[in-house]
Amino acid sequence: MLVSETSLAAVVVLAAGEGTRMKSRTPKVLHTLCGRSLLGHAIAAADDLAPERLVVVVGHAKEEVGVAAVAAAPRADIVVQEQQLGTGHAVRMVIESIGAMSGTVIVTYGDMPLLRGQTLGELASRHVAAGNAVTVLTARGEFPGFGRIVRDAGGAFLRIVEERDATEAERAIDEFNSGCYAFDGALLADAIKRVTTDNSQHEEYLTDVVEILRGDGHPVGTVLAAESAEIRGVNDRVQLAQARRALNDRILRDFMLAGVTIIDPASTWIDVTVHIGQDAEIGPETQLTGATVIGAGAKVGPGCLLEDTTVGEDAALLHAVCRQAEIGPRVSIGPFAYLRPGVSIADGAHIGTYVELKKSHIGPGAKVPHLTYVGDATIGAGTNIGAGTIFANYDGVHKHHTEVGENAFVGSNTVLVAPVTIGHGAYTAAGSAIQEDVPAGDLGVARGRQHNSDGWVLRNRQGTRSADAAARNRSDESQ
């Protein structure tokens, strides 16, 4: 259950760290997985709660990270932590920048892509219901380096102990601090001013706020994450790959439970931004990215890559690469077709083997079966484009358009030199280079007349296998 807008004052996303273990020119929180950056996933989870304010703390590469944060959430407040002096210091910068906040304040991180809005909502709701000053999100499992949750004999929260400071018995505790908290905003604003740097790192730790509030006699509670993996952060490329696999598995599971068939989950990758209709089937070695939408009953794969592409109901794609294309219902594509941006294909059309399309519209029921390039063109309903046809759209300086009418027939190995129009019901002869319009119902022929030179091989290729074969057959034909 998510908290109401009136009770949730803010979500603060800490994203100021450098992330040196990524060994990258890209800021850590801007590395991507499953269609969003690490920061994008954190912001999406925060947005699920519809807080009054969404605050992102930036530091390292502050301009780049700040721009990305605003792109993901235009309403976000950006607070700069010029020196990264700890999580408590980051939160203090927020309060000094925008002031104390009345109500619940959630603090989370820009490098925890598996953390769901549902979990943060549960944390906030139970925090409010219990009347706590602070509620700690915890998890059970194996989290080396994480702080442990120490409880009394009755199971009540006592304190958080960092691993480096823990006794052997405390290190055996299997409940860990995620670093995410729900605070009473007013109490947080008071306690954060009392955090010191009296530690080995000389930094201000947010965990100290928990100790301060408990020392003041305020109630402190905990909420256990339903899925322990949610609290895992990403600090290097290995952890990024592990998070990507875990998140992809979650996405696939949700789709399968919603009525989508995933033939081979191990080889299928789908972004969080993709939508798939019921009874669709996704084949092995398929990747669906960006704003791709798959209609009900469509079959995509095996071996497809779709980027920002719409696929209509009951369409079928096999070994196809499609970028920013619109594919209508009952369309069949492939194998080995390439749809570039600006392509739209209407109901029931067929795009076959080794066909490339760019910035073109294919009408209902039209067929482009094999070995064809179609660029900057409109092909009418029911038209057939013969094998090996080239739509020659580029003159070296400008692109030009080709118009092919309805129920036309373009012969194999035709070159249509744009700009040119093939009328409704018109034909072009195989092997033609069409440079002038072909009116409706006409046959366009643009090729040299065939001439056979009698006996050329026998005269010019004596002693070859071709000449021997020709001699034998000419002898047979003369009998």
Side-chain angles (χ1 to χ4, degrees):
M1 180 180 70
L2 301 186
V3 296
S4 68
E5 293 184 34
T6 55
S7 61
L8 185 57
V11 175
V12 177
V13 179
L14 305 184
E18 183 175 358
T20 55
R21 281 182 280 172
M22 296 297 284
K23 294 181 171 59
S24 176
R25 293 172 294 178
T26 300
K28 180 180 78 168
V29 295
L30 299 188
H31 281 262
T32 60
L33 67 165
C34 300
R36 291 191 183 122
S37 66
L38 294 170
L39 178 59
H41 286 289
I43 288 174
D47 257 346
D48 282 348
L49 280 66
E52 293 178 19
R53 303 188 79 156
L54 174 58
V55 183
V56 179
V57 180
V58 302
H60 174 72
K62 59 187 178 183
E63 291 83 5
E64 189 176 356
V65 175
V67 167
V70 172
R75 68 188 186 90
D77 294 310
I78 306 301
V79 172
V80 177
Q81 185 188 21
E82 294 288 359
Q83 293 180 288
Q84 285 75 67
L85 300 177
T87 52
H89 178 262
V91 173
R92 182 160 64 84
M93 293 299 98
V94 171
I95 293 172
E96 289 180 3
S97 175
I98 67 177
M101 293 161 281
S102 178
T104 299
V105 175
I106 298 286
V107 177
T108 183
Y109 299 87
D111 63 354
M112 296 172 66
L114 298 174
L115 184 58
R116 298 174 299 173
Q118 178 182 346
T119 299
L120 291 177
E122 181 72 11
L123 173 67
S125 295
R126 291 176 58 180
H127 169 79
V128 171
N132 290 333
V134 55
T135 305
V136 184
L137 181 66
T138 71
R140 296 192 185 277
E142 293 293 330
F143 297 94
F146 282 46
R148 305 318 199 265
I149 303 299
V150 181
R151 298 182 180 275
D152 64 19
F157 176 89
L158 281 179
R159 68 183 185 278
I160 299 169
V161 60
E162 298 302 328
E163 184 174 80
R164 62 179 174 272
D165 301 321
T167 66
E168 185 175 347
E170 289 169 338
R171 289 179 182 174
I173 295 171
D174 71 345
E175 186 179 10
F176 295 82
N177 174 31
S178 70
C180 297
Y181 309 93
F183 290 100
D184 177 287
L187 295 177
L188 171 64
D190 173 67
I192 200 72
K193 294 182 291 187
R194 292 185 272 158
V195 173
T196 70
T197 58
D198 186 18
N199 53 65
S200 60
Q201 301 298 315
H202 302 292
E203 293 184 350
E204 299 174 31
Y205 294 136
L206 200 53
T207 50
D208 290 351
V209 174
V210 180
E211 296 295 320
I212 290 169
L213 292 175
R214 188 172 183 277
D216 289 346
H218 296 295
V220 176
T222 63
V223 170
L224 187 68
E227 296 181 12
S228 62
E230 288 190 64
I231 77 164
R232 293 193 184 278
V234 171
N235 294 297
D236 56 37
R237 310 285 183 129
V238 174
Q239 293 176 346
L240 179 64
Q242 292 168 342
R244 182 180 290 113
R245 168 55 68 186
L247 183 53
N248 189 68
D249 287 346
R250 180 194 291 173
I251 293 167
L252 298 183
R253 182 177 184 275
D254 288 346
F255 275 126
M256 288 187 283
L257 292 176
V260 176
T261 296
I262 310 289
I263 300 297
D264 181 24
S267 67
T268 302
W269 293 89
I270 300 178
D271 284 354
V272 292
T273 47
V274 170
H275 297 275
I276 306 177
Q278 189 173 337
D279 287 325
E281 180 179 295
I282 310 302
E285 303 291 342
T286 292
Q287 185 174 359
L288 307 178
T289 70
T292 292
V293 178
I294 308 298
K299 293 185 177 182
V300 179
C304 288
L305 168 60
L306 272 60
E307 174 187 292
D308 298 327
T309 290
T310 300
V311 178
E313 294 185 2
D314 300 312
L317 285 72
L318 175 62
H319 292 293
V321 175
C322 308
R323 291 190 164 92
Q324 300 174 37
E326 295 182 9
I327 300 166
R330 292 167 291 280
V331 169
S332 62
I333 294 179
F336 311 119
Y338 180 23
L339 276 58
R340 293 164 56 188
V343 168
S344 62
I345 304 172
D347 190 348
H350 170 63
I351 307 299
T353 306
Y354 300 116
V355 173
E356 179 179 347
L357 290 84
K358 171 255 177 187
K359 200 175 179 181
S360 296
H361 173 72
I362 313 300
K367 294 179 174 59
V368 189
H370 12 244
L371 301 165
T372 294
Y373 170 71
V374 181
D376 297 280
T378 300
I379 296 175
T383 285
N384 186 87
I385 306 298
T389 295
I390 298 171
F391 285 64
N393 57 327
Y394 185 45
D395 64 8
V397 179
H398 302 291
K399 300 291 180 67
H400 300 280
H401 190 79
T402 296
E403 187 85 22
V404 181
E406 297 178 2
N407 298 302
F409 188 96
V410 176
S412 296
N413 237 29
T414 294
V415 179
L416 300 176
V417 183
V420 69
T421 297
I422 309 300
H424 300 301
Y427 276 50
T428 69
S432 293
I434 303 296
Q435 304 178 67
E436 299 178 2
D437 292 351
V438 180
D442 283 8
L443 169 66
V445 183
R447 62 190 185 198
R449 185 176 184 85
Q450 181 173 327
H451 168 74
N452 296 337
S453 181
D454 185 54
W456 184 91
V457 172
L458 295 173
R459 293 192 303 272
N460 295 280
R461 295 293 184 267
Q462 292 180 12
T464 66
R465 289 177 296 173
S466 298
D468 292 343
R472 287 195 302 271
N473 282 274
R474 287 173 73 89
S475 175
D476 291 341
E477 290 170 2
S478 65
Q479 292 179 359

